[in-house]
């Protein structure tokens, strides 16, 4: 596993992530890329984008990008395009928003 942090609004952060993805892909094309910004329930929409059955605009509408994540998709586009062009699976890793909100407000115990 390789973890690459970011500042969400930093183009340089996302360029570094793309460089890591591209290098990892050159070593092992069976690479998968996890995305913190999308809840697991949106995996089918993410899969549809990667295999090309939906275009970028359709994907962004399907996942309600401005509401779900809100940061400029242009910052993330090169990573998404690389994965789509090379058949790299993208994984939606986030919990449902209502679950993460409940944990934030009430704690794990409740």
């Amino acid at each position: 596993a390789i973890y690459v942090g970011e500042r969400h609004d930093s183009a340089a952060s996302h360029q570094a992530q793309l460089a890591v993805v591209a290098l990892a892909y050159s070593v092992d094309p069976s690479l998968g890329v996890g995305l913190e910004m999308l809840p697991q329930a949106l995996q089918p929409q993410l899969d549809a984008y990667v295999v090309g059955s939906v275009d970028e605009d359709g994907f962004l509408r399907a996942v309600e990008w401005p509401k779900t994540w809100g940061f400029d998709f242009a910052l993330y586009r090169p990573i998404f395009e690389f994965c789509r062009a090379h058949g790299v699976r993208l994984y939606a890793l986030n919990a449902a928003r209502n679950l993460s909100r409940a944990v934030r407000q009430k704690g794990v115990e409740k």
Side-chain angles (χ1 to χ4, degrees), residues 32-106:
V33 175
L35 304 172
E36 68 159 316
M37 76 281 291
L38 294 175
Q40 292 174 344
L42 295 177
Q43 187 65 48
Q45 292 86 337
L46 193 52
D47 291 342
Y49 171 80
V50 172
V51 300
S53 60
V54 66
D55 66 7
E56 180 181 304
D57 288 335
F59 166 72
L60 295 176
R61 279 192 307 276
V63 300
E64 300 182 69
W65 186 270
K67 178 181 172 188
T68 302
W69 189 236
F71 290 94
D72 186 359
F73 184 75
L75 295 166
Y76 298 84
R77 182 178 292 119
I79 296 167
F80 277 69
E81 288 177 342
F82 179 92
C83 291
R84 185 175 186 166
H86 295 88
V88 173
R89 180 110 193 258
L90 293 169
Y91 293 91
L93 299 178
N94 211 347
R97 185 169 290 234
N98 61 346
L99 175 60
S100 59
R101 185 179 309 117
V103 170
R104 185 174 57 250
Q105 292 173 348
K106 300 175 185 177

